[in-house]
């Protein structure tokens, strides 16, 4: 608007060159109901007066998440497509990791059949059946059971460490090096940490699948605080306890002894993972259903088919996948890092520049210069550069390690 009038980020404006009239357009590109349409406006002005308006941005498709809406207004349909593909890859990777985790739990139990396919059959059937439920909010009742299983697991591991080594590691901490040994180990650490906080970029997809989405924010806040405290305490404590006689090359559950308590813990962990996996299957299935044009009320059989096929494909891929830690590291370095560290500053820069977008003449470029060097843009550029560098380097290193495994 050359007269100095500003338009907000949602409303668009129609402006006559001589400044005689201005019309508001809502986010759907339609004039206010009390206004005349564009053709009527053109007829009421002299022929030498040109109607000039800013490009109209269509609204995102119905059912788009909040993160997807930001991607739509920042980068258009292509941005939303890229984000959806990234979320789809993240969900599939999570499901494969869950399947691998269940497979590792069952393999170390006496009830194993010796075949990964047969071992995964019953848990996969449970995941598929639960994922087809119209409302999966009842699965939240198993969250306390999951915390109990984790607490029991690390209690048994800590007891085993104290029984084998005592507190020797804590008395000789000055001899330990708890930092990564090389860039590959550092990349794996980065991936696991990013994965631990990976709920942030995907929470919008999960929230849209919940019956009571208002509880997402406080539960996420509490969960992240617990993750922060748990990661620091458990990772360093277990490493110090087992430092005299054990070197970890995978998850810490490998340190559990072969006792009946460990059997119960592994069985409980398998059950918890099986009832948690549908929380990933449902939003992933809804993402695919939305792209295929399957609505929420009709075509229930098609929705069931998509979710069951999704579980079957992930189960098959899990048999050929590397260990749980390697999958989690790569998912964190690639999918979560892009969704959490690269796309947010990129979308912020695009939205900030679109506020000043207009004629691409020299005068317009001069008026845009202050916004280009604003603290917000400079900060976003810095975050974008760091995010891209961290994502590229760590993704390559963890992928190579995963292929070797």
């Amino acid at each position: 608007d050359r007269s100095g009038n500003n338009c907000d980020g949602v409303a668009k404006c129609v402006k006559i060159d001589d400044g005689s009239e201005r019309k508001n357009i809502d986010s759907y590109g339609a004039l206010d109901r009390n206004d005349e349409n564009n053709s009527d406006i053109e007829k009421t002005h002299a022929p030498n007066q040109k109607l000039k308006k800013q490009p109209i941005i269509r609204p995102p498709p119905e059912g788009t998440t909040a993160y997807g809406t930001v991607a739509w207004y920042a980068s258009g349909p292509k941005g939303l497509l890229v984000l959806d593909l990234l979320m789809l890859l993240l969900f599939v990777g999570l499901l494969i990791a869950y399947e691998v985790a269940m497979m590792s739990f069952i393999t170390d139990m006496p009830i194993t059949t010796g075949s990964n396919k047969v071992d995964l059959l019953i848990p996969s059937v449970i995941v598929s059946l639960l994922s087809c439920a119209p409302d999966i909010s009842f699965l939240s009742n198993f969250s306390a059971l999951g915390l109990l299983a984790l607490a029991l697991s690390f209690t048994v591991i800590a007891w085993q460490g104290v029984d084998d080594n005592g507190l020797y590691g804590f008395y000789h901490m000055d001899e330990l090096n708890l930092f990564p040994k090389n860039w590959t180990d550092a990349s794996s650490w980065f991936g696991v940490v990013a994965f631990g906080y990976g709920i942030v970029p995907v929470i919008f997809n999960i929230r849209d699948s919940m019956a009571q989405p208002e509880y997402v924010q406080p539960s996420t806040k509490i969960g992240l605080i617990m993750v922060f405290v748990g990661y620091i305490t458990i990772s360093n404590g277990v490493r110090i306890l087992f430092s005299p006689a054990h070197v970890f090359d995978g998850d810490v559950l490998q340190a559990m002894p072969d006792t009946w308590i460990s059997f119960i813990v592994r069985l409980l962990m398998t059950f918890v993972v099986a009832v948690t996996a549908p929380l990933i299957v449902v939003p992933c299935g809804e993402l695919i259903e939305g792209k295929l044009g399957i609505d929420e009320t009709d075509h229930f059989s098609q929705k069931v088919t998509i979710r069951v096929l999704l579980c079957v494909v992930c189960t098959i891929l899990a048999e050929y996948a590397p260990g749980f830690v390697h999958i989690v590291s790569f998912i964190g370095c690639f999918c979560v890092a892009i969704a959490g560290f690269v796309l947010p500053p990129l979308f912020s820069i695009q939205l900030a520049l679109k506020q000043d977008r207009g004629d691409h003449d020299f005068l317009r470029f001069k008026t845009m210069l202050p916004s280009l060097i604003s603290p917000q843009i400079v900060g976003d550029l810095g975050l974008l550069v760091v995010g891209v560098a961290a994502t590229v380097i760590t993704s390559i290193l963890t992928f190579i390690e995963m292929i070797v495994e």
Side-chain angles (χ1 to χ4, degrees):
D1 186 340
R2 296 181 181 178
S3 62
N5 296 320
N6 293 325
C7 303
D8 57 51
V10 177
K12 306 302 171 186
C13 298
V14 176
K15 176 74 176 155
I16 304 301
D17 281 355
D18 63 357
S20 60
E21 188 164 356
R22 175 176 177 167
K23 301 289 182 182
N24 287 331
I25 297 181
D26 60 17
S27 61
Y28 289 90
L31 292 173
D32 293 339
R33 294 184 179 180
N34 295 330
D35 293 337
E36 299 174 345
N37 57 38
N38 292 349
S39 60
D40 292 336
I41 295 175
E42 293 177 352
K43 293 178 183 178
T44 57
H45 291 81
N48 60 343
Q49 292 179 336
K50 296 181 180 179
L51 181 65
K52 185 181 239 182
K53 63 180 179 180
Q54 294 183 354
I56 296 174
I57 301 179
R58 294 176 299 143
E62 185 178 356
T64 303
T65 64
Y67 198 2
T69 301
V70 173
W72 176 275
Y73 285 114
S75 302
K78 292 182 179 179
L80 179 59
L81 178 60
V82 171
L83 181 62
D84 286 343
L85 290 176
L86 184 65
M87 289 295 126
L88 181 61
L89 180 61
L90 174 58
F91 286 140
V92 171
L94 285 173
L95 289 175
I96 295 176
Y98 279 18
E99 297 279 358
V100 172
M102 291 190 293
M103 186 168 57
S104 65
F105 296 151
I106 299 175
T107 301
D108 294 331
M109 289 191 290
I111 61 175
T112 180
T113 62
S115 173
N116 292 334
K117 295 180 180 179
V118 179
D119 288 344
L120 278 177
L121 183 59
I122 295 179
S124 299
V125 171
I126 295 176
V127 172
S128 301
L129 292 177
L130 293 176
S131 301
C132 296
D135 182 12
I136 61 172
S137 59
F138 69 94
L139 294 178
S140 61
N141 299 324
F142 296 101
S143 58
L145 185 61
L147 295 177
L148 175 62
L150 289 174
L152 284 176
S153 299
F154 290 110
T155 299
V156 172
I157 292 173
W159 172 81
Q160 182 69 24
V162 173
D163 185 63
D164 292 344
N165 308 300
L167 299 179
Y168 179 87
F170 288 96
Y171 296 140
H172 299 80
M173 290 182 58
D174 55 336
E175 303 175 4
L176 296 178
N177 180 17
L178 299 179
F179 290 95
K181 295 180 295 184
N182 48 50
W183 283 105
T184 301
D185 290 348
S187 299
S188 298
W189 172 87
F190 173 80
V192 172
V193 173
F195 180 85
Y197 291 88
I199 188 62
V200 176
V202 304
I203 193 64
F204 301 111
N205 299 72
I206 298 177
R207 182 188 62 182
D208 294 343
S209 303
M210 297 181 68
Q212 296 177 309
E214 64 273 10
Y215 293 117
V216 168
Q217 183 174 355
S219 61
T220 302
K221 182 178 180 180
I222 295 173
L224 290 179
I225 293 175
M226 294 177 63
V227 167
F228 173 74
V229 176
Y231 268 35
I232 293 177
T233 304
I234 296 174
S235 61
N236 290 284
V238 171
R239 174 68 178 87
I240 294 171
L241 276 176
F242 284 88
S243 59
H246 189 84
V247 177
F248 290 97
D249 187 22
D251 58 86
V252 297
L253 295 181
Q254 63 181 263
M256 292 181 63
D258 293 328
T259 62
W260 66 270
I261 298 179
S262 301
F263 170 74
I264 294 176
V265 170
R266 289 190 175 97
L267 191 62
L268 191 59
M269 289 290 292
T270 304
F271 175 76
V272 170
V273 173
V275 298
T276 304
L279 298 176
I280 304 299
V281 176
V282 171
C284 183
E286 289 180 347
L287 183 61
I288 299 175
E289 293 157 14
K291 295 303 177 183
L292 297 178
I294 301 176
D295 54 42
E296 298 182 359
T297 56
D298 301 329
H299 308 292
F300 180 75
S301 60
Q302 296 181 8
K303 297 174 67 173
V304 170
T305 302
I306 291 175
R307 297 178 186 183
V308 171
L309 286 176
L310 182 61
C311 294
V312 172
V313 170
C314 291
T315 301
I316 295 174
L317 293 177
E319 185 181 359
Y320 304 97
F324 175 78
V325 174
H326 297 290
I327 300 177
V328 167
S329 298
F330 179 73
I331 293 174
C333 291
F334 185 73
C335 300
V336 179
I338 293 178
F341 303 142
V342 176
L343 294 184
L346 177 61
F347 291 158
S348 179
I349 293 173
Q350 292 177 312
L351 291 173
L353 295 180
K354 283 189 175 184
Q355 291 181 351
D356 295 322
R357 187 177 62 185
D359 295 336
H360 300 285
D361 54 13
F362 180 71
L363 179 62
R364 173 59 61 181
F365 178 75
K366 289 176 62 178
T367 60
M368 289 179 60
L369 279 179
S371 64
L372 289 174
I373 59 176
S374 65
Q376 176 186 344
I377 297 295
V378 173
D380 288 336
L381 284 173
L383 292 175
L384 180 60
V385 171
V386 173
V388 170
T391 301
V392 171
I393 295 174
T394 58
S395 296
I396 292 175
L397 292 177
T398 54
F399 182 77
I400 293 175
E401 184 182 25
M402 187 171 61
I403 294 299
V404 171
E405 290 292 329

